[in-house]
Amino acid sequence: DTAVSQTPKYLVTQMGNDKSIKCEQNLGHDTMYWYKQDSKKFLKIMFSYNNKELIINETVPNRFSPKSPDKAHLNLHINSLELGDSAVYFCASSQEGRNTIYFGEGSWLTVV
Amino acid sequence: AQSVAQPEDQVNVAEGNPLTVKCTYSVSGNPYLFWYVQYPNRGLQFLLKYITGDNLVKGSYGFEAEFNKSQTSFHLKKPSALVSDSALYFCAVRIPQGYSTLTFGKGTMLLVSP
């Protein structure tokens, strides 16, 4: 009964390809996030959605496009992958008005 | 803008000894403070949080943290370390207004030796 689940866990792909990472939460939360963890383990917010609406969009290249078909899902599509996109991408969720953000297990993306 | 500092890249402690992982923050107002733990090749697990009230908060796996407003610190502690506590620990801050997100420190690797 994983609360925040994301697939795939590991993804190796070539430069220039397009790939997607899917995320689902079964916590009934109304807000979902994508965070990126770089090679130095630093975590940074990329996007945040509340009830399917984009509310936070940090300075992320346009090649990254999140999509939220409903408030339980937030997918991340990446076009024209570059070597620098190699990282761990974490999906997370929370209920606004409550404070804790819960994270998925991460998706390890390697671009070769 | 808010920021979180974890001054130690690594903390080494022997099993059975007390441990402290340091965190200080810089943010206006009264932030919410969090600790998360990341085991190798795993996601971030929530450990504990401070919102308001008692400065000493208790969390999962026997961890606790002490909020000190004057020193703007939120150090993570455990009275007796276990080898299984070895992991990467992140301190994070969240502003309690609007649709804020977590701002993380750079992480501290805790190594507990047998």
Side-chain angles (χ1 to χ4, degrees):
Chain A
D1 284 359
T2 305
V4 182
S5 59
Q6 47 184 117
T7 56
K9 180 160 186 175
Y10 299 103
L11 182 57
V12 180
T13 188
Q14 291 187 328
M15 278 194 305
N17 284 352
D18 303 338
K19 291 294 177 185
S20 293
I21 305 172
K22 295 185 176 181
C23 179
E24 176 182 6
Q25 54 93 5
N26 63 6
L27 297 167
H29 290 164
D30 60 4
T31 304
M32 296 186 71
Y33 313 82
W34 279 108
Y35 279 81
K36 179 180 180 180
Q37 185 175 43
D38 63 22
S39 59
K40 296 184 178 180
K41 305 295 185 182
F42 189 70
L43 285 152
K44 188 172 182 184
I45 182 71
M46 298 174 69
F47 302 102
S48 174
Y49 271 73
N50 176 262
N51 283 318
K52 303 192 299 175
E53 298 295 324
L54 179 66
I55 53 173
I56 291 176
N57 183 352
E58 291 296 313
T59 50
V60 177
N62 291 338
R63 299 181 295 101
F64 289 79
S65 54
K67 285 187 171 53
S68 182
D70 55 62
K71 69 178 188 178
H73 295 84
L74 180 61
N75 304 322
L76 182 65
H77 187 75
I78 315 171
N79 289 327
S80 303
L81 278 156
E82 300 176 358
L83 292 177
D85 297 332
S86 296
V88 185
Y89 294 86
F90 285 104
C91 179
S93 73
S94 70
Q95 181 67 25
E96 284 312 306
R98 302 175 195 169
N99 313 301
T100 305
I101 297 178
Y102 294 93
F103 287 80
E105 289 285 290
S107 294
W108 270 252
L109 173 65
T110 302
V111 183
V112 297
Chain B
Q2 63 264 30
S3 65
V4 177
Q6 293 181 243
E8 304 149 319
D9 290 336
Q10 185 168 305
V11 169
N12 297 302
V13 64
E15 188 173 35
N17 284 356
L19 69 88
T20 298
V21 182
K22 296 180 180 177
C23 172
T24 59
Y25 63 91
S26 175
V27 64
S28 57
N30 298 313
Y32 297 157
L33 297 159
F34 301 81
W35 277 100
Y36 287 82
V37 59
Q38 184 178 22
Y39 296 99
N41 296 324
R42 299 295 300 276
L44 290 157
Q45 295 182 29
F46 167 72
L47 273 182
L48 51 80
K49 65 183 177 185
Y50 173 83
I51 305 300
T52 187
D54 193 350
N55 289 344
L56 185 65
V57 293
K58 296 186 184 294
S60 307
Y61 312 122
F63 283 92
E64 57 189 29
E66 186 165 12
F67 171 64
N68 187 317
K69 187 171 184 177
S70 63
Q71 297 184 3
T72 61
S73 66
F74 189 55
H75 300 331
L76 181 69
K77 301 180 180 185
K78 187 173 182 181
S80 179
L82 299 172
V83 173
S84 57
D85 292 330
S86 298
L88 186 58
Y89 290 81
F90 289 96
C91 182
V93 62
R94 188 176 188 188
I95 296 174
Q97 63 186 49
Y99 294 105
S100 65
T101 64
L102 290 168
T103 298
F104 285 90
K106 65 180 174 64
T108 299
M109 178 62 70
L110 173 66
L111 293 176
V112 182
S113 55

